[in-house]
């Protein structure tokens, strides 16, 4: 039995499910979670969708009925004693669900991971997907097609298209294959409007986001090799502009739009530490670079969170470490 059949069997033989995704969720996270919600609801299952972080405002169009809840320990921790199955989508390491982690690790039911990142933790009963997938949404598409567990419909197509469009950088990143375009074609045939989805995700920004982008672009710095560019987002800049953490998604890519730059780094100031985002061109494995600092991710896009430290304490160290990958 392949993994898809195993997952189908688990789904058909259980009644209640909790679906969750990573902190600071992106469109692949939310789209995949809501697509799975649709599948399970079509099958008459009891489904809870609960995340550590709230859904960013530019992804709310994916969840018009507000089925996703923000984790509240008092209200939701008991779910880990009640449901049969917990599914983590678009992450493969339990620390990425933050305050829900302890409950997940103690959960006695079936633990499933549906994901496309490297270095999957050895804590799951069933792992679906691998790093060859461009998006978790693509895995779910394959799961539906190969098992016929439900029929694709417009709602599913909308979620899966948004997941795939964003995780492929609007169909330009490395894993944009003929297969991805064929999937996109099928989703469009189901009524997905690509103009509208791009507009919802990228062109309905708050004014504050664009002001913050301006400030962030002003911080851009090249290292001595001129092959590494980095930028900084401070608390102060967020306060001044009124932007929020989710608005910073995508800023780091501007580093790679400079000729000759192969590694882009963004330092984001947290309440009690620093979040670092890495991006690279070609074969430069920034997931390995992130791993040096306790993080992970994909070959060309990775990140980490460091606590009890400051941005200034880390710039030199991190840029020096990055130079070893040039
Ligand atoms: P971003 O920079 O957009 O937040 O994250 C890019 C990618 O890096 C994510 O898709 C995820 O794979 C990975 N990533 C980001 N932050 C972390 C982290 O703290 N730990 C791990 N293991 N991976 C991360
Ligand atoms: Mn993803």
């Amino acid at each position: 039995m392949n993994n898809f059949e195993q997952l189908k069997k688990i789904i058909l033989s259980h009644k209640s499910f909790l679906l969750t995704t990573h902190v600071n969720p992106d469109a692949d996270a939310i789209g995949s979670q809501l697509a799975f919600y649709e599948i399970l609801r079509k099958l008459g299952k009891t489904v809870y969708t609960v995340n550590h972080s709230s859904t960013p405002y530019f992804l709310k169009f994916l969840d018009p009925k507000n089925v996703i809840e923000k984790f509240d320990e008092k209200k939701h921790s008991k779910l880990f004693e009640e449901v049969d199955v917990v599914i983590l989508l678009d992450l493969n390491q339990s620390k990425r669900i933050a305050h829900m982690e302890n409950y997940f690790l103690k959960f006695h039911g079936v633990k499933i991971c549906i994901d496309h990142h490297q270095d999957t933790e050895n804590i799951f009963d069933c792992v679906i997907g691998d790093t060859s997938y461009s998006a978790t949404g693509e895995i779910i598409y394959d799961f539906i097609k190969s098992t016929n567990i439900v029929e694709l419909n417009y709602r599913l197509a909308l979620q899966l298209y948004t997941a795939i469009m964003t995780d492929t950088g609007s169909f330009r990143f490395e894993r944009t294959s003929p297969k991805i375009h064929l999937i996109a074609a099928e989703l469009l045939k189901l009524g997905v409007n690509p103009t509208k989805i791009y507009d919802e995700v990228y062109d309905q920004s708050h004014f504050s986001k664009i002001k913050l982008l301006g400030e962030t672009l002003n911080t851009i710095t090249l290292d001595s090799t001129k092959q590494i560019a980095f930028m900084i987002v401070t608390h102060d800049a967020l306060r001044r502009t009124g932007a929020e953490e989710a608005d910073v998604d995508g800023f780091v890519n501007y580093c790679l739009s400079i000729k000759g730059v192969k590694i882009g780094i963004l330092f984001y100031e947290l309440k009690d530490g620093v979040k670092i985002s890495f991006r690279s061109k070609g074969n430069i494995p920034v997931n390995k670079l992130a791993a040096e600092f306790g993080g992970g991710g994909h070959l060309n896009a990775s990140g980490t969170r460091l606590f009890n430290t400051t941005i200034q304490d880390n710039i030199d160290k991190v840029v020096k470490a990055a130079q070893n990958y040039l």
Side-chain angles (χ1 to χ4, degrees):
M1 193 165 30
N2 69 27
N3 284 2
F4 285 157
E5 286 301 327
Q6 189 194 351
L7 176 60
K8 182 178 179 181
K9 207 171 151 199
I10 292 171
I11 291 172
L12 296 181
S13 59
H14 292 87
K15 286 200 187 98
S16 55
F17 297 77
L18 170 60
L19 308 179
T20 190
T21 189
H22 55 79
V23 287
N24 199 15
D26 56 11
D28 186 30
I30 299 292
S32 296
Q33 184 180 26
L34 288 169
F36 228 81
Y37 174 86
E38 292 283 325
I39 296 172
L40 295 173
R41 290 296 299 141
K42 268 172 157 247
L43 295 166
K45 307 293 178 184
T46 303
V47 195
Y48 302 94
T49 42
V50 183
N51 293 339
H52 170 88
S53 315
S54 23
T55 303
Y57 67 86
F58 50 86
L59 298 177
K60 290 248 164 84
F61 76 100
L62 292 172
D63 186 17
K65 292 188 187 146
N66 284 318
V67 301
I68 298 179
E69 299 175 66
K70 185 168 159 45
F71 181 65
D72 170 349
E73 202 150 6
K74 282 197 213 97
K75 192 169 158 199
H76 297 116
S77 55
K78 65 176 189 305
L79 287 178
F80 287 90
E81 284 155 28
E82 287 173 20
V83 299
D84 302 324
V85 182
V86 175
I87 306 183
L88 305 194
L89 295 122
D90 201 40
L91 74 136
N92 59 8
Q93 297 176 350
S94 59
K95 70 174 183 186
R96 304 264 293 139
I97 54 175
H99 294 155
M100 298 171 76
E101 178 181 23
N102 271 333
Y103 294 102
F104 177 74
L105 292 175
K106 285 191 219 138
F107 174 60
H108 288 302
V110 185
K111 296 186 177 106
I112 296 179
C113 167
I114 306 180
D115 184 55
H116 64 135
H117 293 98
Q118 308 207 336
D119 305 323
T120 305
E121 239 174 340
N122 194 12
I123 52 172
F124 302 102
D125 299 302
C126 174
V127 175
I128 308 291
D130 55 54
T131 57
S132 69
Y133 283 96
S134 66
T136 301
E138 184 192 354
I139 304 170
I140 297 174
Y141 173 90
D142 272 8
F143 170 63
I144 295 171
K145 296 304 272 190
S146 96
T147 61
N148 286 312
I149 188 157
V150 294
E151 228 177 277
L152 270 179
N153 61 10
Y154 171 73
R155 285 293 314 158
L156 280 168
L158 172 79
Q159 308 293 356
L160 296 179
Y161 182 89
T162 309
I164 293 170
M165 178 193 84
T166 51
D167 257 29
T168 57
S170 306
F171 305 98
R172 75 182 197 280
F173 292 161
E174 209 86 29
R175 278 167 296 180
T176 306
S177 57
K179 179 192 162 203
I180 286 291
H181 280 282
L182 289 170
I183 293 173
E186 186 176 348
L187 301 178
L188 295 195
K189 278 191 207 152
L190 288 162
V192 167
N193 179 335
T195 313
K196 185 166 176 298
I197 292 188
Y198 188 95
D199 187 73
E200 291 275 12
V201 178
Y202 295 117
D203 289 340
Q204 298 277 344
S205 301
H206 289 167
F207 182 64
S208 51
K209 172 184 170 169
I210 303 307
K211 296 294 283 181
L212 181 67
L213 173 62
E215 289 215 10
T216 308
L217 288 173
N218 252 327
T219 70
I220 204 158
T221 308
L222 288 174
D223 79 327
S224 55
T225 70
K226 297 194 169 27
Q227 294 178 71
I228 297 172
F230 63 89
M231 40 179 40
I232 293 168
V233 178
T234 60
H235 264 317
D236 240 23
L238 250 81
R239 197 163 349 109
R240 262 198 310 277
T241 57
E244 52 190 87
E245 180 173 1
D247 283 326
V248 179
D249 197 34
F251 284 9
V252 63
N253 292 314
Y254 283 96
C255 292
L256 293 183
S257 68
I258 304 164
K259 188 172 173 168
V261 169
K262 298 198 174 95
I263 298 178
I265 307 172
L266 183 138
F267 296 91
Y268 177 91
E269 189 178 20
L270 298 169
K271 250 189 246 134
D272 51 353
V274 186
K275 181 189 165 189
I276 310 175
S277 290
F278 300 99
R279 297 292 185 273
S280 68
K281 284 189 177 175
N283 289 327
I284 297 177
V286 282
N287 54 329
K288 297 223 168 85
L289 173 57
E292 289 189 32
F293 297 93
H298 311 276
L299 184 81
N300 297 124
S302 65
T304 190
R305 283 165 193 256
L306 307 174
F307 296 99
N308 303 316
T309 183
T310 65
I311 291 179
Q312 290 310 327
D313 280 348
N314 285 281
I315 291 179
D316 284 353
K317 239 190 298 187
V318 170
V319 170
K320 214 174 226 163
Q323 286 170 345
N324 294 327
Y325 290 82
L326 293 170

